Amino acid sequence: MSADDSVFTGAVAKFYETYMVPLIFEPYAEPAVRRALAPDVADVLEIAAGTGVVTRALALASDERVRIVATDLNQAMLDQAAAIGTARPVRWRQADAMRLPFADASFDAVVCQFGAMFFPDRVTAFAQARRVLRPGGRFVFSTWDRIEDNEFADTVTAAMASVFPSDPPRFLARTPHGCHDISEITRDLAQAGFGTSPRIDTVTARSRADSARTPAVAYCHGTPLRDEIEARGDLDQATSAAEQALTERFGSGPVDGRIQAHIVTVVNTPL
């Protein structure tokens, strides 16, 4: 992972919320929340909250007595999330998952949707999640499966290779789809100190949009792929190439592609 892969600027945050959230993140919010919440949960921490799609789902699904703290490394993402708001108050806080600023055993559940792929050291980040969990608490996180099983991302990546053949942008394959190996995820959790085997559910959903233009803009403008493109050439040209490739594969009208992810649930039983 490049050091820049985890940087989401204000411009990216707006496109991320407008395009990426409904395209690929909303379908996985409810399943993550359902796995994290239990009748005895009183304190929930979300890490890598992004623009708050899971935060909003947590606020809707939980009792008002449940405390929700939502964090992200990038303040621009939290600013976007706070501007949208939630059904009831939550606490927004900028925080690095590698060094969580919370006391040991502070939470009954830790939730992270599609953030683990960005951690520079997953074992360290997982150990931080375990540290702030109370005994018996749940760590629930999701990661994308192989890029080949996520059709829009795969198509856009191939299109970028055609535009920049000598140095193709590989952000989507390298980082969002770079943490799909179940055996590696299981090993990292064990090394982080989780004493039980995780439950890993591979969940397939559909990504739908009114035209190929939407996923083209989503991936080229609403992720750090944008920075890779702009470092090489023209963003509009690359977006148009992505749109053309998506149209050729999925048609000129509404588009519908497969997305696939792993949802991991592990209980904090020490080794």
Side-chain angles (χ1 to χ4, degrees), residues 33-34 37 56-63 88:
V33 168
R34 177 163 29 90
L37 293 179
R56 294 189 287 273
L58 282 167
L60 283 171
S62 60
D63 187 277
R88 61 181 181 84

Side-chain angles (χ1 to χ4, degrees), residues 35-90:
R35 287 164 172 79
L37 293 179
D40 58 347
V41 168
D43 298 284
V44 179
L45 172 66
E46 185 183 359
I47 52 180
T51 56
V53 61
V54 170
T55 321
R56 294 189 287 273
L58 282 167
L60 283 171
S62 60
D63 187 277
E64 290 188 0
R65 291 170 294 182
V66 176
R67 179 178 67 115
I68 301 171
V69 181
T71 68
D72 196 272
L73 179 65
N74 295 280
Q75 187 62 46
M77 300 292 269
L78 293 177
D79 291 344
Q80 185 71 30
I84 297 167
T86 51
R88 61 181 181 84
V90 304

Side-chain angles (χ1 to χ4, degrees), residues 20-33:
M20 294 299 290
V21 165
L23 191 69
I24 63 172
F25 294 126
E26 281 182 349
Y28 290 96
E30 188 277 333
V33 168

Side-chain angles (χ1 to χ4, degrees), residues 126 141 143-146 179-189 198-203 260-264:
F126 291 169
F141 65 96
T143 66
W144 293 113
D145 206 345
R146 304 179 315 147
C179 179
H180 56 76
D181 188 307
I182 289 174
S183 63
E184 289 185 7
I185 293 170
T186 301
R187 180 201 64 202
D188 289 347
L189 286 167
R199 171 181 171 177
I200 302 180
D201 301 309
T202 301
V203 180
Q260 189 162 291
H262 305 307
I263 303 179
V264 183

Side-chain angles (χ1 to χ4, degrees), residues 156-239:
V156 170
T157 298
M160 294 304 97
S162 69
V163 177
F164 307 103
S166 63
D167 185 20
R170 295 287 296 168
F171 165 74
L172 295 176
R174 179 180 64 247
T175 301
H177 298 278
C179 179
H180 56 76
D181 188 307
I182 289 174
S183 63
E184 289 185 7
I185 293 170
T186 301
R187 180 201 64 202
D188 289 347
L189 286 167
Q191 291 182 359
F194 285 96
T196 58
S197 297
R199 171 181 171 177
I200 302 180
D201 301 309
T202 301
V203 180
T204 301
R206 306 302 300 180
S207 184
R208 298 182 175 91
D210 55 355
S211 72
R213 180 70 180 172
T214 295
V217 171
Y219 285 102
C220 293
H221 293 249
T223 75
L225 177 62
R226 176 180 185 149
D227 299 323
E228 288 194 331
I229 293 170
E230 291 182 324
R232 291 163 172 80
D234 185 79
L235 179 62
D236 290 337
Q237 177 191 4
T239 306

